[in-house]
Amino acid sequence: MTLPLASAVSDYLQRIQELGAVEGPHGQVGLTPALEPVLEALHHLLAGGEVEVRITRRGHTSLVQELRQRVDDATRQVNQIQQQAGCSLFTTV
């Protein structure tokens, strides 16, 4: 069975990569060190823990809005594909 990929998810991942979420040459990329504590907090939250998030310096408003819109678009597109396919789709990041 072939299921369509939510292009908005791919677009979002590509955009955050362009903005520096990962660094290094092809085949040797890694998470930008500044994101490591964020990912660690996410892992604890998903594992049943509790975290606190504090923004110490706000980013560019238009870019924050763009990224939020990309997440909203990806979520909407994934939900539409799941409804049409009649099953849940999963992706690995």
Side-chain angles (χ1 to χ4, degrees), residues 7 10-11 15 18 25-27 36 39 47-48 50 56 59 66-67 69-70 74-75 77 83-85 87-89:
S7 61
S10 177
D11 292 345
R15 183 65 173 129
E18 291 169 356
H26 289 288
E36 289 178 10
L39 190 58
E50 186 175 318
T56 57
E66 174 197 336
L67 294 172
Q69 186 62 54
R70 286 178 181 270
T75 301
Q77 196 174 74
Q83 288 173 353
Q84 291 172 354
C87 64
S88 294
L89 303 177

Side-chain angles (χ1 to χ4, degrees), residues 2-82:
T2 301
L3 297 174
L5 174 66
S7 61
V9 172
S10 177
D11 292 345
Y12 172 73
L13 293 173
Q14 182 178 351
R15 183 65 173 129
I16 63 172
Q17 183 174 348
E18 291 169 356
L19 292 170
V22 294
E23 57 186 27
H26 289 288
Q28 297 179 341
V29 297
L31 188 64
T32 299
L35 288 177
E36 289 178 10
V38 176
L39 190 58
E40 178 75 8
L42 174 63
H43 292 167
H44 280 277
L45 184 64
L46 293 173
E50 186 175 318
V51 300
E52 181 179 317
V53 176
R54 184 172 57 93
I55 298 170
T56 57
R57 182 178 61 198
R58 296 202 173 274
H60 296 282
T61 302
S62 61
L63 189 50
V64 171
Q65 291 171 345
E66 174 197 336
L67 294 172
R68 178 74 247 170
Q69 186 62 54
R70 286 178 181 270
V71 168
D72 291 346
D73 292 345
T75 301
R76 185 173 32 263
Q77 196 174 74
V78 165
N79 285 327
Q80 288 172 345
I81 291 171
Q82 287 178 352

